[in-house]
Amino acid sequence: GQQLNQSPQSMFIQEGEDVSMNCTSSSIFNTWLWYKQDPGEGPVLLIALYKAGELTSNGRLTAQFGITRKDSFLNISASIPSDVGIYFCAGQQPNFNKFYFGSGTKLNVKP
Amino acid sequence: DSGVTQTPKHLITATGQRVTLRCSPRSGDLSVYWYQQSLDQGLQFLIQYYNGEERAKGNILERFSAQQFPDLHSELNLSSLELGDSALYFCASSVGSGAPNEQFFGPGTRLTVL
């Protein structure tokens, strides 16, 4: 099946630092979504991207849809303790309905 | 609160048993998706329904089945349960079926098979 490679697997950072994570695929996607999941909760949609090259912000979060349509990036600026959680990327291929999820990036923020 | 509801929140049962998980999508959403998340794992897509019809299938076992009813709520049936079926099961909904498509997730049902 389709594989999304998400990296890094985990990150340990100091409060105030910026964070970057990315997802890559061997196939072209026409939609990229970024989610955050807190322990025992459902994923919460952070940012949706629908066009190659698109750069979208949501507060301190910025995500980009790669030009090749095979990757996406999520940046978090000036991290705070409540940013702790697992971040998932999800991609949807053209002409297919299902989404593929990355394996997640576990973010730890030290106050 | 995403607007997607799932019941029950927790379910504990024994191997060999059958359970039904329920999901109500956000108001106005026609698509429902089911996902399985095992401990410390990513989300595995199981199945999608759109307006009552099956639209896409993922890695869903033959022991599992789902349906979407005329009022658009959906049920996921898990039978002949095994220890390995213990996981969080999430339902998500979206307005349409294809792209663009933003899925909103429910709080999940934690299934424990003993």
Coordinates of all heavy atoms in Angstrom, one line a residue, chain B residues 55-104:
Chain B
R55 N -17.5 3.7 -0.3 CA -16.8 4.5 -1.3 C -15.3 4.0 -1.4 O -14.8 4.1 -2.5 CB -16.9 5.9 -1.0 CG -16.4 6.9 -2.0 CD -17.1 6.6 -3.4 NE -18.5 7.0 -3.4 CZ -18.9 8.1 -3.9 NH1 -18.1 9.0 -4.4 NH2 -20.2 8.4 -3.9
A56 N -14.7 3.7 -0.3 CA -13.3 3.3 -0.4 C -13.1 2.3 0.7 O -13.7 2.3 1.8 CB -12.4 4.5 -0.3
K57 N -12.1 1.4 0.4 CA -11.8 0.3 1.4 C -10.3 0.3 1.6 O -9.5 0.4 0.7 CB -12.3 -1.0 0.9 CG -12.8 -2.0 1.9 CD -13.5 -3.1 1.2 CE -14.2 -4.0 2.2 NZ -15.0 -5.0 1.6
G58 N -9.9 0.2 2.9 CA -8.5 0.1 3.2 C -8.2 -1.2 3.7 O -8.7 -2.2 3.2
N59 N -7.4 -1.3 4.8 CA -6.9 -2.6 5.4 C -8.0 -3.1 6.4 O -7.6 -3.4 7.5 CB -5.6 -2.4 6.0 CG -4.6 -1.9 5.1 OD1 -4.5 -2.3 3.9 ND2 -3.7 -1.0 5.5
I60 N -9.2 -3.3 5.9 CA -10.2 -3.8 6.8 C -10.3 -5.3 6.7 O -10.3 -5.9 5.7 CB -11.6 -3.1 6.5 CG1 -12.6 -3.5 7.6 CG2 -12.0 -3.5 5.1 CD1 -13.8 -2.7 7.6
L61 N -10.3 -6.0 7.9 CA -10.3 -7.4 8.0 C -11.7 -7.9 7.6 O -12.7 -7.2 7.7 CB -10.0 -7.9 9.4 CG -8.6 -7.5 9.9 CD1 -8.5 -7.9 11.4 CD2 -7.5 -8.2 9.1
E62 N -11.8 -9.2 7.2 CA -13.1 -9.7 6.8 C -14.0 -9.9 8.0 O -15.2 -9.9 7.9 CB -12.9 -11.1 6.1 CG -12.4 -11.0 4.7 CD -12.5 -12.3 4.0 OE1 -13.1 -13.2 4.4 OE2 -11.9 -12.4 2.9
R63 N -13.4 -9.9 9.2 CA -14.2 -10.1 10.4 C -14.8 -8.7 10.8 O -15.7 -8.7 11.7 CB -13.3 -10.5 11.6 CG -12.6 -11.8 11.4 CD -11.8 -12.2 12.7 NE -10.5 -11.4 12.8 CZ -10.3 -10.5 13.7 NH1 -11.3 -10.1 14.6 NH2 -9.2 -9.9 13.8
F64 N -14.4 -7.7 10.1 CA -15.0 -6.3 10.4 C -15.9 -5.9 9.3 O -15.7 -6.2 8.1 CB -13.9 -5.3 10.5 CG -12.9 -5.5 11.6 CD1 -13.0 -6.5 12.5 CD2 -11.8 -4.6 11.8 CE1 -12.1 -6.7 13.5 CE2 -10.9 -4.7 12.8 CZ -11.0 -5.8 13.7
S65 N -17.0 -5.2 9.6 CA -17.9 -4.7 8.6 C -18.4 -3.4 9.1 O -18.4 -3.1 10.3 CB -19.0 -5.7 8.3 OG -19.8 -5.8 9.4
A66 N -18.9 -2.6 8.1 CA -19.5 -1.3 8.5 C -20.7 -1.0 7.7 O -20.9 -1.6 6.6 CB -18.4 -0.2 8.4
Q67 N -21.5 -0.1 8.1 CA -22.6 0.4 7.3 C -22.9 1.9 7.7 O -22.5 2.3 8.8 CB -23.8 -0.5 7.4 CG -24.3 -0.7 8.8 CD -25.5 -1.7 8.8 OE1 -26.3 -1.7 7.8 NE2 -25.6 -2.4 9.8
Q68 N -23.5 2.6 6.7 CA -24.0 3.9 7.0 C -25.5 4.0 6.8 O -26.0 3.5 5.7 CB -23.3 5.0 6.1 CG -23.6 6.4 6.5 CD -22.9 7.4 5.6 OE1 -22.6 7.1 4.4 NE2 -22.7 8.6 6.1
F69 N -26.2 4.5 7.7 CA -27.6 4.4 7.7 C -28.2 5.7 7.0 O -27.5 6.7 6.8 CB -28.1 4.3 9.1 CG -27.8 3.0 9.7 CD1 -26.5 2.8 10.4 CD2 -28.6 1.9 9.7 CE1 -26.2 1.6 10.9 CE2 -28.2 0.7 10.2 CZ -27.0 0.5 10.9
P70 N -29.5 5.7 6.7 CA -30.1 6.8 6.0 C -30.0 8.1 6.8 O -29.9 9.2 6.2 CB -31.6 6.4 5.9 CG -31.6 4.9 5.8 CD -30.4 4.5 6.7
D71 N -29.9 8.1 8.1 CA -29.7 9.3 8.9 C -28.2 9.7 8.9 O -27.8 10.6 9.6 CB -30.2 9.2 10.3 CG -29.5 8.2 11.2 OD1 -28.6 7.5 10.6 OD2 -29.8 8.1 12.4
L72 N -27.4 9.0 8.2 CA -25.9 9.2 8.0 C -25.0 8.7 9.2 O -23.8 8.8 9.0 CB -25.6 10.7 7.7 CG -26.3 11.2 6.4 CD1 -26.1 12.7 6.2 CD2 -25.9 10.4 5.2
H73 N -25.6 8.2 10.3 CA -24.7 7.7 11.3 C -24.2 6.4 10.7 O -24.7 5.8 9.8 CB -25.4 7.5 12.6 CG -26.1 6.2 12.9 ND1 -27.4 6.0 12.5 CD2 -25.6 5.1 13.4 CE1 -27.7 4.8 12.8 NE2 -26.7 4.2 13.4
S74 N -23.1 6.0 11.3 CA -22.4 4.8 10.8 C -22.1 3.8 12.0 O -21.9 4.3 13.2 CB -21.1 5.1 10.1 OG -20.4 4.0 9.7
E75 N -22.0 2.6 11.7 CA -21.6 1.6 12.7 C -20.5 0.7 12.2 O -20.5 0.3 11.0 CB -22.8 0.7 13.1 CG -23.9 1.5 13.9 CD -25.1 0.6 14.3 OE1 -25.1 -0.6 13.9 OE2 -26.0 1.2 15.0
L76 N -19.6 0.4 13.0 CA -18.5 -0.5 12.7 C -18.7 -1.7 13.5 O -18.7 -1.7 14.8 CB -17.1 0.2 13.0 CG -15.9 -0.7 12.7 CD1 -15.7 -0.9 11.2 CD2 -14.6 0.0 13.2
N77 N -18.8 -2.9 12.9 CA -19.0 -4.1 13.6 C -17.7 -5.0 13.5 O -17.2 -5.2 12.5 CB -20.1 -4.9 12.9 CG -21.4 -4.2 12.9 OD1 -22.0 -3.9 13.9 ND2 -21.9 -3.8 11.7
L78 N -17.3 -5.4 14.7 CA -16.1 -6.2 14.8 C -16.5 -7.5 15.4 O -17.1 -7.6 16.5 CB -15.1 -5.5 15.7 CG -14.9 -4.0 15.5 CD1 -13.9 -3.4 16.6 CD2 -14.3 -3.7 14.1
S79 N -16.2 -8.6 14.7 CA -16.6 -9.9 15.2 C -15.4 -10.8 15.4 O -14.3 -10.5 14.9 CB -17.6 -10.5 14.3 OG -17.0 -10.7 13.0
S80 N -15.7 -12.0 16.1 CA -14.6 -12.9 16.4 C -13.3 -12.2 16.9 O -12.2 -12.4 16.4 CB -14.3 -13.8 15.1 OG -15.4 -14.4 14.7
L81 N -13.5 -11.4 17.9 CA -12.5 -10.5 18.3 C -11.2 -11.3 18.8 O -11.3 -12.3 19.4 CB -13.0 -9.6 19.4 CG -13.9 -8.4 18.9 CD1 -14.6 -7.8 20.0 CD2 -13.0 -7.5 18.1
E82 N -10.1 -10.7 18.5 CA -8.8 -11.3 18.9 C -8.1 -10.2 19.8 O -8.4 -9.0 19.7 CB -8.0 -11.6 17.7 CG -8.6 -12.6 16.7 CD -7.8 -12.8 15.5 OE1 -6.8 -12.2 15.3 OE2 -8.3 -13.6 14.6
L83 N -7.1 -10.7 20.5 CA -6.3 -9.8 21.4 C -5.8 -8.6 20.6 O -5.7 -7.4 21.0 CB -5.2 -10.5 22.1 CG -5.6 -11.6 23.1 CD1 -4.4 -12.3 23.6 CD2 -6.4 -11.0 24.2
G84 N -5.3 -8.9 19.4 CA -4.7 -7.9 18.5 C -5.6 -6.8 18.0 O -5.2 -5.8 17.4
D85 N -6.9 -7.0 18.2 CA -7.9 -6.0 17.8 C -8.0 -4.9 18.8 O -8.7 -3.9 18.6 CB -9.3 -6.6 17.6 CG -9.3 -7.7 16.5 OD1 -8.5 -7.5 15.5 OD2 -10.1 -8.7 16.6
S86 N -7.4 -5.0 20.0 CA -7.4 -3.9 21.0 C -6.7 -2.7 20.4 O -5.6 -2.8 19.9 CB -6.6 -4.4 22.2 OG -7.3 -5.5 22.9
A87 N -7.4 -1.6 20.4 CA -6.9 -0.4 19.7 C -7.9 0.7 20.0 O -9.0 0.5 20.5 CB -6.8 -0.6 18.2
L88 N -7.5 1.9 19.5 CA -8.5 3.0 19.5 C -9.1 3.0 18.1 O -8.4 2.9 17.1 CB -7.7 4.4 19.6 CG -7.6 4.9 21.1 CD1 -6.6 6.0 21.1 CD2 -8.9 5.4 21.6
Y89 N -10.4 3.2 18.0 CA -11.1 3.2 16.7 C -11.7 4.6 16.6 O -12.5 5.1 17.4 CB -12.2 2.1 16.6 CG -11.6 0.8 16.5 CD1 -11.2 0.1 17.7 CD2 -11.3 0.2 15.3 CE1 -10.6 -1.2 17.6 CE2 -10.7 -1.1 15.2 CZ -10.4 -1.7 16.4 OH -9.8 -3.0 16.3
F90 N -11.3 5.3 15.5 CA -11.7 6.6 15.3 C -12.7 6.7 14.1 O -12.5 6.0 13.1 CB -10.6 7.6 15.0 CG -9.7 7.9 16.2 CD1 -8.5 7.3 16.4 CD2 -10.2 8.8 17.2 CE1 -7.7 7.6 17.5 CE2 -9.5 9.1 18.3 CZ -8.2 8.5 18.4
C91 N -13.6 7.5 14.2 CA -14.5 7.9 13.1 C -14.2 9.3 12.7 O -13.9 10.1 13.5 CB -15.9 7.7 13.5 SG -17.2 8.5 12.5
A92 N -14.2 9.6 11.4 CA -14.1 11.0 10.9 C -15.2 11.2 9.9 O -15.7 10.3 9.3 CB -12.7 11.1 10.3
S93 N -15.5 12.5 9.7 CA -16.5 12.8 8.7 C -16.0 14.0 7.9 O -15.1 14.8 8.3 CB -17.8 13.1 9.3 OG -17.9 14.4 10.0
S94 N -16.5 14.1 6.7 CA -16.2 15.2 5.8 C -17.5 15.5 5.0 O -18.4 14.7 4.9 CB -15.1 14.9 4.9 OG -15.4 13.9 4.0
V95 N -17.5 16.7 4.4 CA -18.7 17.1 3.6 C -18.9 16.2 2.4 O -20.0 15.7 2.2 CB -18.5 18.6 3.2 CG1 -19.6 18.9 2.2 CG2 -18.5 19.5 4.4
G96 N -17.8 16.1 1.6 CA -17.9 15.4 0.4 C -17.2 14.1 0.4 O -16.9 13.5 1.4
S97 N -16.9 13.6 -0.8 CA -16.3 12.3 -1.0 C -14.9 12.4 -1.5 O -14.0 11.8 -1.0 CB -17.1 11.4 -1.9 OG -16.5 10.3 -2.2
G98 N -14.7 13.3 -2.5 CA -13.4 13.4 -3.1 C -12.7 14.7 -2.6 O -13.1 15.3 -1.7
A99 N -11.6 15.0 -3.3 CA -10.9 16.2 -3.0 C -11.6 17.5 -3.5 O -12.3 17.4 -4.5 CB -9.5 16.2 -3.5
P100 N -11.5 18.7 -2.8 CA -10.9 18.9 -1.6 C -11.7 18.3 -0.4 O -12.9 18.1 -0.5 CB -10.8 20.4 -1.4 CG -11.9 20.9 -2.3 CD -12.0 19.9 -3.4
N101 N -11.0 17.9 0.6 CA -11.6 17.0 1.6 C -11.0 17.2 3.0 O -9.9 16.8 3.2 CB -11.5 15.6 1.1 CG -12.3 14.6 1.9 OD1 -12.7 14.9 3.0 ND2 -12.5 13.5 1.4
E102 N -11.6 17.8 3.9 CA -11.1 17.9 5.3 C -11.9 17.0 6.2 O -13.1 17.1 6.3 CB -11.2 19.4 5.7 CG -10.5 20.4 4.9 CD -10.7 21.8 5.3 OE1 -11.3 22.0 6.4 OE2 -10.3 22.7 4.6
Q103 N -11.1 16.1 6.8 CA -11.8 15.2 7.7 C -11.7 15.6 9.1 O -10.6 16.1 9.6 CB -11.1 13.8 7.6 CG -11.3 13.2 6.2 CD -10.6 11.8 6.2 OE1 -10.5 11.1 7.2 NE2 -10.1 11.5 5.0
F104 N -12.8 15.5 9.9 CA -12.9 15.9 11.3 C -13.1 14.7 12.1 O -14.0 13.9 11.8 CB -14.0 16.9 11.5 CG -13.7 18.2 10.8 CD1 -14.1 18.4 9.5 CD2 -13.0 19.3 11.5 CE1 -13.8 19.6 8.8 CE2 -12.7 20.5 10.8 CZ -13.1 20.6 9.5

